[in-house]
Amino acid sequence: MTSFEYQLHPVGPTVTAGLIVHAIDRARDLLEFYRDKTRSLPDEHALFATLAHAPDGSGTEVAALVTCHCGPPADAEKAVRPLKEFGSPALDGVGPMPYCQLNSMLDAGFPRAPSTTGNRISSRSSVTLQSAR
């Protein structure tokens, strides 16, 4: 592919979004709920499921939903209600927030990988470097 075209749409600055965390032993039920829910989401509602570690840094395994609704607040509240009411969440962090906050919310769990370009070159043997000349 040599090009990619897309159309941007205004979002925010405030969206209804956040993280809903469940105990790992509810993972199967949560993933089935996620599967069923995502079959009919409107364009303005995004929903992701993950099996991860608790955001408190404890290392506890959890099942979680991350959601964002960028439509009118009344529509968003109605759309996220079933997510908030499913099971007994250990953490419900869904509510109005700046889109930029949502966009960086999971950054700590996915740090940028260090550049390895220098390492690949410096770790090559002198024979490999000679043959590359």
Side-chain angles (χ1 to χ4, degrees):
M1 178 184 335
T2 58
S3 67
F4 180 75
E5 292 185 31
Y6 55 95
Q7 186 175 11
L8 296 176
H9 300 277
V11 174
T14 301
V15 295
T16 300
L19 181 68
I20 300 175
V21 177
H22 290 266
I24 194 68
D25 63 355
R26 295 296 317 268
R28 182 180 183 97
D29 294 334
L30 185 71
L31 293 174
E32 289 173 350
F33 173 78
Y34 166 79
R35 178 197 60 205
D36 296 343
K37 209 62 189 147
T38 55
R39 288 183 175 156
S40 61
L41 290 179
D43 289 344
E44 60 273 1
H45 192 183
L47 180 62
F48 302 94
T50 185
L51 303 178
H53 292 100
D56 64 4
S58 66
T60 303
E61 293 178 327
V62 297
L65 298 173
V66 180
T67 191
C68 176
H69 193 289
C70 58
D75 293 349
E77 184 180 327
K78 182 179 177 184
V80 300
R81 188 175 302 123
L83 309 179
K84 295 163 89 51
E85 293 175 349
F86 176 78
S88 300
L91 170 73
D92 176 356
V94 174
M97 70 173 60
Y99 176 75
C100 291
Q101 180 182 343
L102 169 70
N103 200 35
S104 63
M105 183 173 70
L106 302 177
D107 286 357
F110 300 96
R112 293 179 187 257
S115 172
T116 57
T117 304
N119 292 339
R120 274 186 264 140
I121 292 171
S122 64
S123 66
R124 291 182 179 171
S125 71
S126 58
V127 173
T128 302
L129 289 174
Q130 288 174 358
S131 65
R133 291 185 186 157

